[in-house]
Structure formats: structure tokens, C-alpha cells
């Protein structure tokens, strides 16, 4: 979605948590006007009903600063049942931009285009031919294990995304019971993301960024889970840009 902010908008204010907050208020306004239940049905999920079926991908200023000069791109994904309501969600974003505004100054913006680029489905992956890949933690990633935040490791990442994909798409995804994959950290660092919430104020969400080299040939199930990591995000705060991961197979050395 491309938006054109009015004067006074600061690019650094456009982080994922702020965008999520504005979207939530816009959904509530949509429901009040239309007699709809979009907010509680799709975005008021709890642990009992599964994770929220959306993700705001744009997280850092550099993620938002492409497109024509003077415009911003806000990228979001809808999954599962939310796909059927994509038209209403797009209209809610227009309310967010044109009526509610962004940042402390409530700067308004005009939506100049909405492009559908993905759908929230996964296809069965063919068996991989590569034996080495790079797993990059693009935005801070942390998992919640036994009720507490935990640094990610490869088995826990695969288990977490299997659960998330199962709940979002309503079909079973099984983590590998015994995997031959081995992760070798090339570079990683612990960072903190400052989240601004209208309800709880400023909080710190910590996670891991960096790159791992993954050795071993993933089977079809593991390949599908790596694809799910890229599509859905994984870990704490995935709905507002945390846990964004890419998996890139490395070219085989010619024999």
C-alpha cells in the first residue's frame, strides 16, 4: 500500500507497533459505522483462538522508504480467515491514513494505491537440493518458552513456526522429531526494540538479529517450515514486525 503523508510526518515514527495501533483504532471506527465485527473477529484473537491472522511487515524506516518520492510503502500480510475480509481491511487503512493520522502530530496521509502482492497460503515444497543456506534474522526475534522470553535455536524455531502455521491456516504442520540440520552463527547480536503502546506506554522487546549458516539438506517438511517462517514471521511481536526471517539456499560448489 502506497501512502503520501501530509507535511510534518517524521519517517522514524512509522514503526510497526505504531502502525498496528492506528490500524486497531481504524478497525473499531469501521465496525461502528458499518455495524461490523471486523476488529474482534479478525484482530481480537487470544491464545484460545490462535494468533492474529495478520502481520505488518514494515518495521524500520528503510523498509518504508521505497516507492515514488514523497510516498511511503506500508506492507502488511493477511492470513487464513482474514483474506476473505481484505477489502474491508484496505478501507480501514484508508480511515487510518485519512482520518486518524500517524505519530504524535496525528499527521494525515492519502492512500494513493493498494497492491495485492501475496496470499496467505503455503504450497507443499519439493525436496531441497541444496546442502547449505543462510538464515537471517532481519528484525529482532525471540521466542516465548515455558512462559518466558528465550533466545531462538533452530529446533525451537521450527517448532514455533509449526504451531503458528497450524493455528493460522487451520491445518496441521509438524516440526521434525529429529533433524539433521545444524545452525552455525556467523554474526548475531542481541538488540532491543522500543515499542510505544497507547495502553502500556514504552516497553522494550528484546531479540536476536544476525545471520546463521544452516548446514544439511532439509526434507520437504522442513523446507515448508522455512517458507512459513518467511511468510508469517515467528516469535514474540510478529504482528508488528518482530521475528522477520529470510532463508536463502546457497549455491552448490561445482564439482
Amino acid at each position: 500500500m502506497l501512502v503520501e503523508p501530509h507535511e510534518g510526518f517524521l519517517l522514524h515514527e512509522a514503526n510497526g507497533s505504531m502502525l498496528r495501533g492506528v490500524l486497531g483504532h481504524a478497525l473499531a471506527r469501521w465496525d461502528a459505522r458499518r455495524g461490523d465485527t471486523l476488529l474482534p473477529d479478525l484482530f481480537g484473537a487470544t491464545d484460545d483462538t490462535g494468533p492474529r491472522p495478520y502481520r505488518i511487515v514494515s518495521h524500520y524506516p528503510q523498509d518504508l522508504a521505497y516507492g515514488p518520492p514523497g510516498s511511503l510503502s506500508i506492507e502488511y500480510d493477511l492470513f487464513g480467515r482474514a483474506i476473505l475480509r481484505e477489502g474491508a481491511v484496505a478501507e480501514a487503512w484508508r480511515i487510518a491514513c485519512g482520518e486518524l493520522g500517524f505519530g504524535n502530530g496525528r499527521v494525515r496521509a492519502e492512500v494513493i494505491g493498494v497492491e495485492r502482492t501475496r496470499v496467505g497460503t503455503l504450497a507443499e515444497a519439493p525436496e531441497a537440493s541444496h546442502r547449505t543456506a543462510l538464515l537471517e534474522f532481519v528484525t529482532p526475534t525471540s521466542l516465548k518458552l515455558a512462559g518466558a522470553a528465550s533466545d531462538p535455536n533452530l529446533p525451537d524455531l521450527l517448532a514455533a513456526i509449526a504451531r503458528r502455521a497450524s493455528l493460522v491456516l487451520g491445518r496441521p504442520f509438524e516440526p521434525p522429531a529429529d533433524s539433521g540440520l545444524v545452525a552455525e552463527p556467523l554474526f548475531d547480536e542481541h538488540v532491543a526494540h522500543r515499542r510505544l503502546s497507547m495502553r502500556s506506554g514504552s516497553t522494550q522487546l528484546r531479540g536476536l538479529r544476525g545471520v546463521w549458516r544452516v548446514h544439511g539438506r532439509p526434507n520437504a517438511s522442513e523446507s515448508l517450515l522455512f517458507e512459513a517462517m518467511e511468510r508469517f514471521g515467528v516469535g514474540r511481536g510478529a504482528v508488528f514486525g518482530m521475528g522477520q526471517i529470510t532463508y536463502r539456499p546457497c549455491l552448490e560448489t561445482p564439482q
Side-chain angles (χ1 to χ4, degrees), residues 27-80:
L27 291 169
R29 186 167 293 190
W30 166 271
D31 287 349
R33 291 176 179 175
R34 300 298 182 97
D36 205 344
T37 56
L38 190 62
L39 178 61
D41 288 351
L42 299 187
F43 298 88
T46 65
D47 290 340
D48 295 333
T49 59
R52 293 172 176 86
Y54 76 100
R55 178 173 65 136
I56 297 173
V57 182
S58 297
H59 182 77
Y60 290 120
Q62 58 264 34
D63 299 325
L64 299 164
Y66 66 90
S71 68
L72 304 174
S73 176
I74 298 174
E75 183 180 348
Y76 61 93
D77 284 337
L78 302 178
F79 310 124

Side-chain angles (χ1 to χ4, degrees), residues 55 57 75-78 83 86 115-121 230-232:
R55 178 173 65 136
V57 182
E75 183 180 348
Y76 61 93
D77 284 337
L78 302 178
I83 296 175
E86 63 177 332
E115 179 184 2
R116 185 181 187 186
T117 57
R118 296 180 178 180
V119 294
T121 59
E230 290 194 281
R231 290 298 325 282
F232 299 153

